[in-house]
């Protein structure tokens, strides 16, 4: 009998399998598709490869501002996708090597929980049957498909999910993006750079979902300046070949489209796993788990997108670590209030902790300090004509840092420091005692911290 069966080979699954195996467990990992899950194969990694090509293109078009003369810069979408696929293959091979080196058995089959077996659990996969003392469910997520007339009929063709949007080798003339969250904005930015006329339709009054609204407004303004059109508080009514109909106040408006990208979020992929055979509790389609990843069934754990909540790869990594630690008798937890997030548009957005809106909703007494990104010498040197914002929230009285929000390129590489400080419960005084390397974009955080009065 195995010590642990992991169902799902995405970030939570392969990370947990490696950690558990290195801790001495005999582990078997089941993945019905390709190791790496959605993040590596259809999400985080390919989208960043595409967005980096878009960034190179935009920099080439702006190079005259930096004293460089080049011939006309033109994209080759086929080569861009080909490079993205090469990056994916390299990283998938890396995950496969890590599993082998850790001694994890990998089974490329869909896994089905069949019930209990003595002191453990039975799992069927292909023509085989396996048993383990513990289960870890890491089944991931899938695109949410709302009941909008015309969506399902055209899905995978005229209507794209992130999977198809990341592999298009022909750029659509008119692209309508339904949803102004992270996926929608990143793909809107990529296709806009490639030459599409992009329109984003969002039912909320601002883009970016839970993003701090001041940062969201600034990002929208910059993306609009680049040519992306936004319709906010707009409810999509239907989709038909060649167009999208949405409701604006008392009128129905149609937007012409060669392709439509559906980007209204993701939902847990926890069905068809046989979890009902052992009585695992579910909640709104997600596996219900506690702070250490334990389900209501002893010996069964869950981590990653399938438990709902924050559906980010780095969150899944930490949830997986905490679950494995719980199996080993070590109580840890995920600091969700110190969980960073990034939107890899041009410019980037990075944030961690509470937004002003969330702090106010919790009834917290807080203060805010902010600075233009142009206070950073490195940012100014590398972003001719560009600007951005660094914004930090602290609790009044204690000066404990509550949140940090950045709009500006290289923000993604600096935000982790604030995540660490918030996770440790640091106050403004402790944080600004940190020595930041100079010159770096991240120095803007230190400068903003010094805006708080002693």
């Amino acid at each position: 009998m195995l010590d642990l069966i992991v169902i799902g080979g995405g970030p939570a699954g392969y990370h947990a399998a490696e950690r558990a195996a290195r801790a001495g467990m005999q582990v078997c990992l089941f993945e019905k598709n390709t190791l790496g899950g959605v993040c590596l194969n259809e999400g985080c990694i390919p989208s960043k490869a595409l967005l980096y090509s878009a960034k190179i293109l935009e920099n080439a078009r702006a190079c005259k501002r930096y004293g460089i003369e080049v011939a006309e810069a033109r994209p080759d979408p086929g080569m861009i996708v080909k490079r993205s696929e090469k990056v994916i293959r390299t990283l998938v091979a890396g995950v496969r090597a890590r599993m082998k080196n850790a001694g994890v058995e990998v089974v490329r089959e869909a896994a089905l929980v069949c019930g209990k077996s003595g002191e453990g659990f039975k799992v069927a996969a292909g023509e085989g049957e396996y048993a383990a003392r513990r289960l870890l469910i890491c089944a991931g997520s899938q695109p949410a498909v709302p009941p909008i007339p015309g969506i399902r009929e055209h899905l995978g063709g005229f209507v794209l999910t992130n999977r198809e949007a990341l592999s298009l080798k022909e750029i659509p003339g008119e692209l309508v993006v339904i949803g102004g969250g992270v996926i929608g904005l990143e793909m809107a930015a990529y296709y806009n750079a490639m030459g599409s006329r992009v329109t984003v339709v969002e039912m909320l009054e601002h883009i970016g979902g839970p993003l701090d609204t001041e940062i969201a407004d600034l990002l929208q303004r910059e993306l609009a300046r680049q040519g992306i059109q936004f319709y906010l508080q707009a409810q999509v009514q239907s989709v038909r070949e060649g167009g999208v109909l949405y409701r604006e106040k008392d009128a129905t408006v149609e937007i012409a489209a060669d392709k439509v990208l559906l980007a209204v979020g993701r939902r847990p992929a926890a069905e068809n796993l046989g979890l009902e055979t052992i009585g695992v509790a579910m909640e709104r389609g997600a596996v219900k788990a506690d702070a250490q990843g334990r389900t209501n069934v002893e010996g069964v754990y869950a981590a990653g997108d399938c438990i709902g909540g924050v559906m980010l790869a780095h969150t899944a990594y930490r949830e997986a670590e905490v679950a494995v630690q719980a199996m080993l008798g070590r109580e840890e937890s995920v600091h969700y209030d110190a969980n960073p997030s990034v939107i890899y548009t041009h410019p980037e957005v990075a944030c961690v902790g509470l937004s002003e809106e969330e702090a106010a909703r919790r009834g917290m007494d807080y203060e805010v300090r902010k600075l233009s990104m142009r206070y950073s010498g490195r940012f100014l040197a590398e972003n001719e004509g560009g600007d951005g914002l660094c914004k930090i929230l602290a609790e009044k009285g204690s000066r404990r840092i509550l949140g940090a929000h950045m709009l500006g390129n290289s923000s993604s590489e600096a935000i982790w420091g604030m995540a660490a400080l918030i996770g440790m419960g640091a106050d403004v005084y402790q944080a600004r005692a940190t020595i930041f390397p100079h010159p770096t974009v991240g120095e803007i955080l230190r400068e903003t911290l010094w805006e708080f009065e002693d």
Side-chain angles (χ1 to χ4, degrees):
M1 180 176 285
L2 296 161
D3 293 308
L4 175 64
I5 282 177
V6 181
I7 298 178
Y14 72 72
H15 193 62
E18 182 179 16
R19 291 290 178 269
R22 294 195 185 281
M25 294 189 203
Q26 188 178 3
V27 183
C28 186
L29 171 66
F30 293 85
E31 172 52 59
K32 62 183 178 181
N33 294 314
T34 306
L35 280 175
V38 169
C39 174
L40 203 162
N41 295 282
E42 302 171 6
C44 318
I45 299 303
S47 65
K48 302 315 164 282
L50 267 57
L51 285 164
Y52 190 73
S53 291
K55 186 176 181 178
I56 293 291
L57 177 63
E58 290 169 336
N59 286 342
R61 287 169 173 168
C63 68
K64 194 170 184 179
R65 298 181 196 169
Y66 300 85
I68 307 297
E69 294 279 357
V70 298
E72 181 185 1
R74 292 175 296 176
D76 183 338
M79 285 299 296
I80 290 172
V81 170
K82 187 176 180 180
R83 175 181 175 272
S84 172
E85 291 169 346
K86 181 185 72 172
V87 171
I88 294 169
R89 287 194 303 272
T90 301
L91 292 174
V92 168
V95 173
R96 192 181 303 117
R98 285 169 60 181
M99 296 302 98
K100 182 178 179 180
N101 292 339
V104 175
E105 180 185 358
V106 177
V107 178
R108 289 283 303 279
E109 297 280 359
L112 182 68
V113 179
C114 302
K116 295 186 177 180
S117 173
E119 59 181 24
F121 305 92
K122 292 187 299 183
V123 171
E127 298 180 357
E129 189 171 278
Y130 303 76
R133 295 179 181 83
R134 303 178 191 88
L135 296 179
L136 176 58
I137 311 302
C138 302
S141 63
Q142 56 195 359
V145 181
I148 298 172
I151 288 284
R152 289 193 179 277
E153 295 89 323
H154 296 291
L155 206 58
F158 173 60
V159 177
L160 313 171
T161 65
N162 62 296
R163 181 186 298 111
E164 295 85 25
L166 291 167
S167 58
L168 281 188
K169 296 180 180 178
E170 293 184 5
I171 302 302
E174 302 274 358
L175 176 69
V176 174
V177 179
I178 302 177
V182 175
I183 296 172
L185 293 175
E186 290 184 351
M187 288 295 91
Y190 169 71
Y191 280 102
N192 177 68
M194 292 299 109
S196 291
R197 289 177 293 278
V198 180
T199 302
V200 176
V201 182
E202 170 57 55
M203 66 184 298
L204 299 178
E205 60 185 11
H206 59 84
I207 63 173
L211 201 62
D212 182 277
T213 54
E214 182 178 16
I215 296 290
D217 289 344
L218 290 172
L219 176 62
Q220 181 185 335
R221 193 180 309 164
E222 175 58 27
L223 294 178
R225 188 191 66 78
Q226 294 174 17
I228 299 173
Q229 188 165 10
F230 292 90
Y231 293 105
L232 304 183
Q233 295 181 285
Q235 181 75 46
V236 175
Q237 302 292 299
S238 64
V239 172
R240 61 191 183 195
E241 194 75 38
V244 173
L245 282 80
Y246 73 95
R247 190 78 177 168
E248 185 180 58
K249 295 181 180 178
D250 297 323
T252 298
V253 181
E254 182 170 11
I255 312 171
D258 296 311
K259 292 285 185 182
V260 173
L261 171 61
L262 181 65
V264 296
R266 300 184 66 82
R267 64 181 184 86
E271 70 276 7
N272 303 319
L273 299 176
L275 298 180
E276 69 281 357
T277 64
I278 54 174
V280 173
M282 308 288 287
E283 189 172 56
R284 294 190 295 275
V287 180
K288 192 173 180 180
D290 70 8
Q292 284 71 46
R294 301 184 187 93
T295 70
N296 63 306
V297 178
E298 187 175 356
V300 180
Y301 299 76
D305 288 5
C306 70
I307 66 172
V310 184
M311 294 187 180
L312 296 171
H314 49 270
T315 312
Y317 285 143
R318 182 58 187 151
E319 289 169 346
E321 291 168 351
V322 167
V324 172
Q325 290 294 82
M327 296 175 199
L328 298 171
R330 304 165 188 160
E331 293 288 308
E332 295 188 359
S333 59
V334 182
H335 298 298
Y336 289 107
D337 275 350
N339 187 42
S341 60
V342 179
I343 303 177
Y344 294 87
T345 45
H346 187 51
E348 293 180 348
V349 170
C351 56
V352 64
L354 304 184
S355 64
E356 279 203 70
E357 293 74 26
E358 180 60 21
R361 189 186 69 78
R362 296 187 187 187
M364 303 186 76
D365 194 11
Y366 66 92
E367 52 187 315
V368 177
R369 296 294 183 272
K370 39 192 162 179
L371 280 178
S372 161
M373 293 291 283
R374 293 174 67 84
Y375 275 81
S376 160
R378 175 77 177 272
F379 180 88
L380 197 62
E382 295 181 355
N383 294 272
E384 178 63 32
D387 200 355
L389 182 70
C390 179
K391 176 177 183 178
I392 296 177
L393 282 71
E395 187 176 42
K396 279 189 177 179
S398 72
R399 290 289 173 83
R400 179 171 61 92
I401 302 170
L402 300 175
H405 308 268
M406 305 173 73
L407 171 70
N409 289 330
S410 297
S411 296
S412 63
E413 296 293 346
I415 200 65
W416 75 269
M418 294 306 294
L421 290 165
I422 292 172
M424 293 186 293
D427 60 31
V428 167
Y429 310 109
Q430 293 168 321
R432 67 191 189 189
T434 302
I435 300 174
F436 286 70
H438 175 80
T440 59
V441 173
E443 281 182 293
I444 192 66
L445 293 163
R446 183 176 183 277
E447 296 300 322
T448 307
L449 286 164
W450 275 100
E451 290 296 299
F452 288 92
E453 295 85 4
D454 290 329

